[in-house]
């Protein structure tokens, strides 16, 4: 019975999360309602709390799954490339981000869009939330070891060196500040382009946003990270 009950619990929890994703896609994460999901499943609303303590716990599980899914996508894209082919790895990682986002727009929006009012992400989300960026950091380390040099200068901003010591410590990485700055800037630019596309900010600008995105990724890889053909 223990195995049967565990399987049933897993199945019901999965269905609750599926319906939650549907609800988020149609109404937004701020309007996620356990009561409405219970009605759809023909369950008493009180029964929902056997599976999730609160709306926030359900949101947390969805967020963690989304982080894991986007990280899986980036890791698989990187793994398909030869370790010494830095340029191909960078382009594959960048393209995998956009591909995943276009296939899962509401999931992307949940983790990179407008914060849900009243929801504070718990520590459980920290490690999953670092996975996709850790792929970039490994690429930067390999690029540095291979002799690539970021084509940026350290800005004269007050406190930059001190701040980046904290960044290196927090990320558990040792890189020249120039490479880390260039890498994080390029990574942020990729997400910026994806968000602009998904949230409709370039609908009247590009016929094919993917063409611009690929060109942007190539430019950033070459101009910032020193990766050329």
């Amino acid at each position: 019975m223990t195995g049967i009950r565990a399987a049933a619990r897993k199945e019901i929890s999965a269905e609750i999360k599926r319906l939650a994703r549907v609800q988020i896609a149609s109404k937004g994460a701020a309007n996620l309602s356990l009561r409405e999901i219970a009605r759809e499943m023909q369950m008493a609303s009180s029964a929902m709390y056997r599976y999730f303590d609160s709306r926030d716990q359900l949101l947390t599980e969805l967020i963690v799954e989304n982080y894991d899914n986007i990280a899986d996508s980036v890791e698989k894209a990187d793994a398909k490339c030869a370790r010494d082919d830095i340029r191909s790895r960078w382009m594959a990682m960048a393209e995998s981000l956009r591909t995943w986002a276009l296939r899962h727009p509401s999931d992307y929006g949940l983790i990179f869009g407008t914060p849900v009012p009243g929801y504070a992400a718990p520590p459980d989300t920290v490690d999953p939330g670092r996975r996709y960026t850790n792929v970039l950091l490994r690429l930067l380390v390999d690029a540095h070891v291979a002799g690539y040099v970021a084509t940026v200068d350290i800005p004269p901003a007050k406190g930059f060196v001190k701040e980046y010591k904290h960044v290196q410590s927090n990320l558990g990485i040792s890189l020249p500040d120039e490479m880390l700055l260039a890498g994080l800037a390029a990574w942020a630019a990729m997400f910026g382009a994806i968000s602009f596309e998904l949230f409709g900010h370039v609908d009247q600008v590009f016929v094919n946003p993917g063409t611009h995105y690929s060109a942007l990724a190539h430019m950033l890889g070459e101009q910032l990270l020193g990766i050329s053909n």
Side-chain angles (χ1 to χ4, degrees), residues 147-160:
Y148 291 94
V149 178
T151 55
V152 299
D153 296 321
I154 295 299
K158 183 179 180 180
F160 177 87

Side-chain angles (χ1 to χ4, degrees), residues 49-67:
Y49 297 98
R50 299 174 189 168
Y51 304 94
F52 296 95
D53 293 338
S54 63
R55 180 210 67 162
D56 284 5
Q57 186 191 7
L58 176 55
L59 277 173
T60 295
E61 289 207 18
L62 294 176
I63 289 169
V64 167
E65 286 186 3
N66 291 347
Y67 276 137

Side-chain angles (χ1 to χ4, degrees), residues 71-146:
D72 287 344
S73 178
V74 178
E75 288 172 355
K76 288 176 183 177
D78 178 51
K80 290 179 181 179
C81 302
R83 296 299 84 194
D84 60 351
D85 191 347
I86 303 297
R87 180 181 180 277
S88 291
R89 289 172 63 188
W90 164 250
M91 292 300 296
M93 288 160 50
E95 293 292 351
S96 70
L97 289 176
R98 179 174 179 269
T99 297
W100 185 87
L102 293 182
R103 289 177 178 172
H104 310 278
S106 62
D107 292 339
Y108 177 93
L110 181 59
I111 53 179
F112 298 115
T114 304
V116 179
Y119 173 79
D124 296 0
T125 62
V126 174
D127 286 341
R130 287 180 173 176
R131 275 186 58 201
Y132 67 94
T133 298
N134 285 341
V135 186
L136 167 72
L137 296 178
R138 288 192 289 271
L139 172 71
L140 296 180
V141 170
D142 291 346
H144 175 59
V145 170

Side-chain angles (χ1 to χ4, degrees), residues 145-182:
V145 170
Y148 291 94
V149 178
T151 55
V152 299
D153 296 321
I154 295 299
K158 183 179 180 180
F160 177 87
V161 174
K162 181 179 179 181
E163 178 62 26
Y164 261 54
K165 284 183 179 179
H166 289 300
V167 173
Q168 303 252 14
S169 176
N170 289 337
L171 294 177
I173 197 168
S174 179
L175 279 171
D177 287 345
E178 294 88 347
M179 179 63 81
L180 187 55
L181 171 62

